[in-house]
Amino acid sequence: MANMRPMPAPPLYPVVETTAGKLRGAWDGYVTSFRGVPYAWQPVRFRAPAPFPPWTGVREALTWGPQCPQDSNTGTGLLASYKTPGPMDENCLTLNIWTPEATASRKRPVMVWLHGGGFEGGGSGSANWYDGTRLASRGDVVVVTITHRLNVFGYLYLGDLGDLGGAGIGADANVGQRDIIAALQWIQDTIEVFGGDPACVTLFGASGGGKKIGTLMAMPEAKGLFHRAIVQSGATLRAATREEATQSAGAFLKQLGLAPGDAAKLATIPAPTLVAAREALFATPAVSFGPVIDDASLPAHPFDPVAPAQSAAIPLLIGTAGAETTLLLPDEENFHLDEPTLRAKLASFGPPARVEALIEAARAEEPDATASDIFFQITSDARSRLRAIAQAERKAAQPAPVYMYVTEWRTPVDGGKWRSPHVGDLPLVFDNIDLAPSMVGTGEDARMMAATMSSSWIAFARSGDPSTPQLPHWPRYDTATRATMRFDTQSRIVNDPHARLRALLSS
């Protein structure tokens, strides 16, 4: 396999000894993988995780663990090749490891992936696009992917609905995030026997995974458990307030036919019923499940009004895709807009004069852009890029560096219709082109982009600087120059891309 380095062959099924017991993995000629490794367990619904009980003998780590119960819709279109193995089960707290060599004699950088899907779904850390074989081999790093509780199982807030202590149900806040913290603590305690360096841990994640990372940067229990952060199309500034989270919990209980005082009955309701109730509320925007401000686990908003002080020393790499909304607003009409319809579609941005100013600003950089190009540019910048810039600005006020990027390489799928979509760079970062043909095709340009982006991610994980021999000068981001790496077939640094549009949207 190109760009992968064979290692001296260990046993076909090597065994390592962890603090909980022995694990048997599998060697494939390039890396050793350990799948479905338990890092914690969840003894009570809606309760923070507990240590996984030790075992005797050798535990097989050859099959994927379960995914958290969630909407089971299969991917279509760009996401058709995205596959998540394993059944659904609430006790889903497992992780997967890919290492060039499972030995404590080497200390490699550790890259820990948090999957997307908001805080609601997205499958698990075992999805095929997240296979860490190529990344681990290319970069001589240890790759870890995490599965944790999602939606109501991980983020339903019951803390203000009365005393549930004796009701067979928990009322802990942010248990999905605390699952991740338990996994990071497991990595600190255990990753050395897999060849990883617990003092060099990088979190990286896209979409909801990026939001999980931004939230972890403000959670006291996560302090010291990771040392660099990469946020891909998932900037986050605020969490829900307790009042907002309690309102969502009340709506969820009502959907189940329960009153707030009946919350204890959630302990016995089957998981599929809870999932169905959540799905029935998707059309209600005021109802959402995600991190909540909580005195114990998340005492303040992650990046509002400033970046969290506890993460001041953590370098950050952050960015978005150039056309996020081709995937997020995929109505077919949006791909065939004329000028009048463009203006009608943008009416929510303000009065006609403001809409005209936005269109002029977007077209100034791309005079030949179609009405649909303009629509996707404005909505992508407003929906995703502005938040990434705000997070970067606030982080740049701290000592550790911030690096900004935008992925503008256009996937050739469907004749280039999708431009550079949300999470379109995910297979590039993992160097998994052959596993994601529906998103990036299988051409040489995709492979070149994968080599470029995965190398920068590896460099950042190793040193806190994403510069590489191919991209030797990547300045840190600040409000004076706003240096931004534009990833394309000819990647380059651009200062303050779409400056006029950014200024107008910010105002």
Side-chain angles (χ1 to χ4, degrees), residues 158-230:
L158 302 172
D160 290 333
L161 293 181
D163 182 12
L164 302 174
I169 190 173
D172 294 331
N174 300 312
V175 298
Q177 294 294 115
R178 292 161 90 169
D179 290 346
I180 301 170
I181 291 171
L184 294 175
Q185 186 62 64
W186 186 96
I187 288 168
Q188 286 297 306
D189 297 340
T190 313
I191 203 64
E192 197 166 4
V193 302
F194 297 91
D197 183 357
C200 187
V201 176
T202 297
L203 298 188
F204 68 126
S207 192
K211 294 179 180 180
K212 295 164 192 173
I213 292 169
T215 303
L216 288 167
M217 293 176 79
M219 297 186 73
E221 290 177 307
K223 185 176 181 180
L225 299 183
F226 61 100
H227 313 94
R228 325 199 201 293
I230 305 176

Side-chain angles (χ1 to χ4, degrees), residues 339 342-343 355-371 373-375 377-378 381 486 492 496-504:
E339 294 294 328
L342 168 64
R343 285 154 177 80
V355 171
E356 288 302 322
L358 291 171
I359 293 172
E360 288 177 14
R363 198 159 262 146
E365 290 199 27
E366 296 185 57
D368 297 328
T370 66
D373 289 334
I374 298 298
F375 172 78
Q377 184 65 68
I378 292 173
D381 281 14
R486 267 183 164 164
R492 61 192 177 94
D496 201 4
H498 302 153
R500 284 177 57 190
L501 185 57
R502 174 191 57 77
L504 282 170

Side-chain angles (χ1 to χ4, degrees), residues 438-449:
S438 68
M439 177 61 84
V440 296
T442 56
E444 288 307 309
D445 278 356
R447 297 184 191 282
M448 183 272 290
M449 290 300 303

Side-chain angles (χ1 to χ4, degrees), residues 85-116:
M88 292 187 184
D89 192 284
E90 288 182 70
N91 289 303
C92 59
L93 308 187
T94 66
L95 52 77
N96 310 303
I97 303 166
W98 291 263
T99 177
E101 188 181 14
T103 172
S105 65
R106 291 287 301 273
K107 289 190 175 182
R108 297 174 169 86
V110 182
M111 299 181 69
V112 181
W113 173 255
L114 302 184
H115 71 80

Side-chain angles (χ1 to χ4, degrees), residues 3 134-135 138 317 405-407 409 425 427-433 444-460 465-472 474 485-492:
N3 301 314
R134 294 186 62 85
L135 195 61
R138 172 186 283 279
L317 172 58
Y405 75 91
V406 59
T407 305
W409 178 74
D425 52 12
L428 309 179
V429 166
F430 273 90
D431 194 13
N432 277 337
I433 302 304
E444 288 307 309
D445 278 356
R447 297 184 191 282
M448 183 272 290
M449 290 300 303
T452 299
M453 294 192 71
S454 63
S455 294
S456 281
W457 265 235
I458 290 164
F460 184 80
D465 183 337
S467 302
T468 65
Q470 295 80 17
L471 303 173
W474 187 335
M485 180 63 72
R486 267 183 164 164
F487 280 112
D488 206 338
T489 51
Q490 296 294 324
S491 299
R492 61 192 177 94

Side-chain angles (χ1 to χ4, degrees), residues 286-473:
V287 177
S288 64
F289 298 99
V292 56
I293 299 297
D294 169 70
D295 292 342
S297 62
L298 183 62
H301 290 293
F303 276 81
D304 189 48
V306 296
Q310 74 174 55
S311 299
I314 294 179
L316 174 66
L317 172 58
I318 187 169
T320 62
E324 296 270 347
T325 50
T326 57
L327 183 68
L328 300 175
L329 301 173
D331 186 338
E332 187 61 27
E333 181 186 37
N334 293 335
F335 295 87
H336 309 284
L337 297 178
D338 57 22
E339 294 294 328
T341 310
L342 168 64
R343 285 154 177 80
K345 289 269 186 179
L346 297 177
S348 63
F349 282 81
R354 175 173 168 77
V355 171
E356 288 302 322
L358 291 171
I359 293 172
E360 288 177 14
R363 198 159 262 146
E365 290 199 27
E366 296 185 57
D368 297 328
T370 66
S372 290
D373 289 334
I374 298 298
F375 172 78
F376 289 126
Q377 184 65 68
I378 292 173
T379 54
S380 295
D381 281 14
R383 183 166 179 158
S384 298
R385 186 152 179 75
L386 271 192
R387 193 162 54 244
I389 289 172
Q391 188 169 344
E393 288 174 343
R394 294 168 191 183
K395 179 63 181 169
Q398 296 181 331
V402 184
Y403 300 91
M404 175 70 78
Y405 75 91
V406 59
T407 305
E408 295 198 344
W409 178 74
R410 293 191 170 202
T411 174
V413 171
D414 294 335
K417 160 187 173 178
W418 300 98
R419 299 156 174 86
S420 46
H422 181 64
V423 302
D425 52 12
L426 196 157
L428 309 179
V429 166
F430 273 90
D431 194 13
N432 277 337
I433 302 304
D434 291 332
L435 299 179
S438 68
M439 177 61 84
V440 296
T442 56
E444 288 307 309
D445 278 356
R447 297 184 191 282
M448 183 272 290
M449 290 300 303
T452 299
M453 294 192 71
S454 63
S455 294
S456 281
W457 265 235
I458 290 164
F460 184 80
R462 194 172 296 280
S463 69
D465 183 337
S467 302
T468 65
Q470 295 80 17
L471 303 173
H473 179 58

